[in-house]
Amino acid sequence: MKRNENKKIIGLILENIFTDFSKELIQSVADILPEYKNFRLVILAGKYDGLEVVTDKQRQDYLTIYNSVFQLDSICNFDGLIIHLGSMTPEKKRRIQTSHFENTKNIPRVFIASNMEGETIVNYDNESGIREAVNYLVNINEFSRFCMLGGRDDNIDACARKNIFIRCLKEKQITFSDRNYQKTDMSDQCEAEAEKLLEHNPDAQAIFCVNDSVAKSLYSAMRKRNLTPGKDILVFGFDNTHLSGEMIPSLSSIGADNCSLGKKALEVLLHKMNGEETNSVLIPTRLYGRESFHYEMYDYTELEMMNVTPAFIERMFDDCFYRYHNSYISRENVNLKRLFYEFISRMLFAMKRRYMSIESFHEIQRMIDKFFEKGAMEYTDAAKLLNSVARLQGSINIHQKSIAANVMINRLFLRIKDKAICALAEQKTKETTLRLEQIRNAQEFLITGMMPPDSEEENTDRLLRSLGKLGLYNGAVYLFETPVRFTAGQTKIFPETVQLRCVMKSGEVYFPPKERQACSASDIFSRNELALKCISHVAFTLFYGHFIYGILLCELTNDIYNRGDSIALQIGKAFYLNELQSRIGMNDKTKSCQK
């Protein structure tokens, strides 16, 4: 068995991979990791398993088996851990401190959004962004009737945001009572709680949502009452996820100012891995204004535009494409910030000189086209970009004296808007086409699993050859010698030795020779057979019912964010049916021989 001794393996442990917050957190770590050579990121993510009271035993059993993936952090060889476990009851926290992390106490680790005593923690400075929003609403809008859709009592951020919000209002002599607050489970499935808050507060002027997912439920409740966010009630959330820009109208949200949680956590962890002393860190936050709560950090002034200073254009880019500075940009990629500077500066210089040549006009058009072809819309949301462009265009038109230059500059602004809209439309079309293709391929995979087996092993190989139909591009499948039956309270699930049955590279499935399949479970993330260019993986347990068959390790992609658990469940079910069919076939043969 080949193990890559030079690779450093960083584990990112999450309570859930499927929330918008988790996606943003993972992406911020995955984007920055390529800056550091010889690192591989592995995500171990479970699902929130509720509070102490269990009401649905079948659901609880499923979640318990699903969350068995967390045992891998104490089994496998990790060089560093980033841990975000979100909501923790006191009992859950006690178990983590006394047992679960006892096996990883010698591994450098950093916690995100936690209050674990004696640990290095990276967290939001919740207060700076909330205070900015309250100050603006009270001082500028002169609002006095505020409400909040909060979170769970076992979530430290939810409690902190509630307390800070109430304190900021109190400092402004604004009362806030229990009637103005409604607790939620912090998901996008809390419409009933949002309706209750609106019913109790028909005169509400502004509502603060503990996160962006909760705001989505509030939007639904407001639509039922013919209320429009940003018009009838100002709404703002927290975390500034991609969801905030996709909502209609787009959601104003508080988020990290200059550095994301994931990026800072990785930086601190690498310092710890180098043996350096580290301290806990608070990340400043700010309010990102959108349609649900119009708020601008600054205006595009005439003096700044006339001077055409690089700092002004860079600030404009950071405002419009605010996710770019937290992303890793390889040398092979076009520097979008530099390209933006080139065509915006030429447009501003033309305004200043009151002249633009036809050659310059066509050259700027080509740069704008290239800017959007190279993925500029990945770093912003449409409403934010279009609003910023409209503000800049409006400021230029006020001060533009040359009619000819003005016409050309406005045509260029129109091209920016058109390209942005076209880029979004193309993305939606691709997503729709991809979903239809995924449905067809999933059906093909299921058909493969339904075919009568020649033998259990041969049918397993046939299933593994079909993994590409499920959208798996790079990854690996490790199977146990025999399936493990999970029982409640089981502390050790994974065997010490597993079999690397297949490896996926660029969509092609490869089978290692039998003599190279066996390996220690501790080495599954460091095998040399894994695609070298693929540095971010996520692990899923392959199970069906109470039987666990192995581990799926796959490249982290946008598709895996959304369908990873579904793909793992399909594979687990296929293995279960394969085993069941083999047993039936063997029984039939036995009966036939007896006859």
Side-chain angles (χ1 to χ4, degrees):
M1 187 277 294
K2 293 187 295 181
R3 182 178 185 274
N4 194 329
E5 300 292 344
N6 296 321
K7 281 281 186 185
K8 297 289 185 182
I9 311 297
I10 292 178
L12 178 53
I13 302 174
L14 296 159
E15 183 184 62
N16 198 325
I17 195 177
F18 307 106
T19 67
D20 290 286
F21 174 81
S22 294
K23 292 176 185 177
E24 300 276 328
L25 175 61
I26 295 168
Q27 201 59 52
S28 64
V29 177
D31 281 350
I32 204 69
L33 197 62
E35 290 186 14
Y36 308 95
K37 294 182 179 180
N38 297 321
F39 281 93
R40 179 174 287 161
L41 177 68
V42 176
I43 293 94
L44 304 180
K47 289 186 178 182
Y48 178 66
D49 57 3
L51 301 179
E52 296 302 305
V53 179
V54 178
T55 57
D56 185 344
K57 187 179 185 307
Q58 190 174 27
R59 175 70 176 173
Q60 187 68 24
D61 287 345
Y62 161 77
L63 292 174
T64 303
I65 300 174
Y66 191 100
N67 290 337
S68 64
V69 72
F70 287 135
Q71 289 195 15
L72 291 174
D73 71 345
S74 56
I75 295 173
C76 299
N77 292 316
F78 284 105
D79 297 287
L81 296 172
I82 298 174
I83 304 165
H84 172 68
L85 291 179
S87 306
M88 287 184 286
T89 62
E91 174 60 24
K92 185 176 180 181
K93 187 191 301 183
R94 185 192 64 78
R95 291 199 306 268
I96 289 171
Q97 287 176 313
T98 58
S99 60
H100 188 59
F101 287 136
E102 181 65 26
N103 296 322
T104 62
K105 62 182 179 181
N106 295 323
I107 301 175
R109 61 194 184 204
V110 173
F111 283 78
I112 289 178
S114 173
N115 60 352
M116 300 285 283
E117 294 84 358
E119 298 288 350
T120 304
I121 299 168
V122 176
N123 205 350
Y124 279 134
D125 175 9
N126 289 290
E127 184 158 350
S128 55
I130 294 173
R131 185 172 294 278
E132 181 180 8
V134 170
N135 286 344
Y136 187 85
L137 288 168
V138 176
N139 297 340
I140 305 300
N141 291 31
E142 298 183 346
F143 281 4
S144 60
R145 299 186 295 279
F146 291 81
C147 295
M148 180 178 179
L149 273 175
R152 299 190 296 264
D153 294 334
D154 64 338
N155 185 285
I156 62 166
D157 274 328
C159 295
R161 289 167 194 174
K162 176 186 177 182
N163 294 334
I164 291 168
F165 186 56
I166 293 174
R167 185 170 70 248
C168 290
L169 292 176
K170 187 176 181 180
E171 291 172 4
K172 300 291 184 181
Q173 285 78 51
I174 294 174
T175 58
F176 188 91
S177 66
D178 292 341
R179 182 174 65 91
N180 308 125
Y181 180 82
Q182 182 63 49
K183 183 167 62 174
T184 74
D185 66 357
M186 302 181 73
S187 74
D188 59 2
Q189 303 296 316
C190 54
E191 191 174 325
E193 290 87 345
E195 289 178 356
K196 188 180 296 185
L197 184 71
L198 293 172
E199 181 180 345
H200 293 166
N201 299 273
D203 60 344
Q205 295 174 305
I207 299 178
F208 172 36
C209 297
V210 71
N211 61 22
D212 296 343
S213 295
V214 167
K216 185 177 179 181
S217 293
L218 176 61
Y219 271 38
S220 299
M222 289 180 68
R223 276 195 298 271
K224 288 183 178 180
R225 294 171 178 262
N226 294 318
L227 297 174
T228 303
K231 179 181 178 182
D232 299 301
I233 301 175
L234 300 193
V235 179
F236 61 106
F238 209 108
D239 293 330
N240 195 37
T241 61
H242 279 82
L243 175 66
S244 61
E246 296 168 356
M247 292 168 64
I248 301 175
S250 56
L251 173 70
S252 296
S253 186
I254 296 167
D257 190 358
N258 295 315
C259 184
S260 67
L261 283 174
K263 181 178 180 180
K264 179 55 68 175
L266 179 60
E267 290 176 1
V268 174
L269 178 64
L270 292 176
H271 286 306
K272 292 193 78 170
M273 290 170 63
N274 289 331
E276 303 171 30
E277 284 214 20
T278 58
N279 297 311
S280 295
V281 179
L282 282 179
I283 303 294
T285 55
R286 54 159 285 200
L287 176 66
Y288 290 81
R290 295 186 181 87
E291 294 172 295
S292 72
F293 172 1
H294 287 289
Y295 176 80
E296 302 298 341
M297 290 290 289
Y298 59 88
D299 291 320
Y300 298 141
T301 66
E302 179 183 2
L303 181 61
E304 287 179 312
M305 288 188 296
M306 293 302 292
N307 288 336
V308 198
T309 60
F312 166 65
I313 299 176
E314 287 178 5
R315 193 178 71 187
M316 186 192 312
F317 177 86
D318 290 339
D319 180 50
C320 293
F321 302 93
Y322 56 93
R323 292 192 176 97
Y324 190 79
H325 70 276
N326 280 329
S327 300
Y328 169 71
I329 312 300
S330 70
R331 294 179 180 178
E332 292 79 16
N333 291 343
V334 171
N335 188 322
L336 295 179
K337 192 168 188 175
R338 179 63 188 174
L339 185 55
F340 181 85
Y341 174 82
E342 287 295 331
F343 66 77
I344 289 293
S345 62
R346 294 191 190 191
M347 292 167 65
L348 293 179
F349 274 122
M351 178 198 75
K352 185 176 182 179
R353 296 166 181 162
R354 302 180 184 179
Y355 171 75
M356 177 180 287
S357 69
I358 191 67
E359 292 81 11
S360 180
F361 173 77
H362 288 305
E363 178 63 21
I364 294 173
Q365 275 190 330
R366 286 192 289 272
M367 284 191 285
I368 291 172
D369 293 351
K370 185 175 183 180
F371 181 73
F372 287 99
E373 287 170 5
K374 296 301 180 180
M377 292 305 293
E378 295 176 15
Y379 306 101
T380 186
D381 48 78
K384 179 70 175 176
L385 175 61
L386 296 177
N387 180 56
S388 298
V389 170
R391 287 171 56 221
L392 178 60
Q393 185 179 9
S395 299
I396 287 178
N397 285 335
I398 290 174
H399 305 290
Q400 182 59 261
K401 306 300 181 183
S402 169
I403 295 177
N406 189 47
V407 169
M408 287 186 171
I409 291 174
N410 276 296
R411 285 176 63 186
L412 291 172
F413 275 121
L414 182 60
R415 193 174 191 88
I416 292 174
K417 294 176 182 178
D418 286 345
K419 286 295 178 180
I421 294 171
C422 287
L424 288 174
E426 289 174 4
Q427 179 184 344
K428 294 297 182 184
T429 301
K430 288 180 181 178
E431 289 174 356
T432 302
T433 304
L434 179 61
R435 275 196 293 270
L436 293 174
E437 184 179 350
Q438 288 168 348
I439 292 172
R440 288 193 296 268
N441 289 339
Q443 290 174 339
E444 290 295 320
F445 179 80
L446 289 175
I447 291 171
T448 301
M450 291 167 59
M451 299 300 291
D454 299 319
S455 69
E456 184 177 346
E457 185 169 354
E458 287 181 12
N459 208 42
T460 297
D461 288 347
R462 186 168 61 185
L463 287 171
L464 293 175
R465 288 191 190 95
S466 303
L467 289 178
K469 295 177 181 178
L470 294 175
L472 297 175
Y473 197 66
N474 290 309
V477 173
Y478 292 93
L479 296 182
F480 304 155
E481 189 74 31
T482 57
V484 173
R485 182 178 177 83
F486 179 85
T487 56
Q490 193 170 348
T491 58
K492 183 179 179 182
I493 296 174
F494 301 102
E496 294 182 1
T497 302
V498 295
Q499 306 287 325
L500 177 60
R501 288 298 300 270
C502 76
V503 176
M504 292 152 281
K505 294 183 178 181
S506 301
E508 296 291 330
V509 178
Y510 300 92
F511 292 89
K514 285 189 178 296
E515 63 271 15
R516 299 195 57 79
Q517 291 183 6
C519 71
S520 170
S522 62
D523 293 329
I524 62 175
F525 301 137
S526 53
R527 291 285 296 246
N528 258 346
E529 288 89 349
L530 302 179
L532 296 178
K533 291 185 178 181
C534 177
I535 63 171
S536 298
H537 296 80
V538 58
F540 295 97
T541 48
L542 297 173
F543 69 94
Y544 188 79
H546 286 83
F547 289 97
I548 303 178
Y549 295 91
I551 300 160
L552 169 66
L553 185 65
C554 50
E555 180 186 15
L556 182 65
T557 63
N558 288 332
D559 187 35
I560 293 301
Y561 278 127
N562 300 318
R563 298 195 310 124
D565 61 340
S566 176
I567 290 173
L569 285 172
Q570 287 186 63
I571 298 173
K573 184 177 182 179
F575 286 154
Y576 172 80
L577 292 175
N578 179 35
E579 185 184 24
L580 184 63
Q581 285 180 329
S582 296
R583 287 203 301 267
I584 293 172
M586 289 177 64
N587 290 336
D588 289 343
K589 286 181 179 179
T590 301
K591 290 178 181 178
S592 178
C593 291
Q594 290 174 346
K595 289 180 181 180

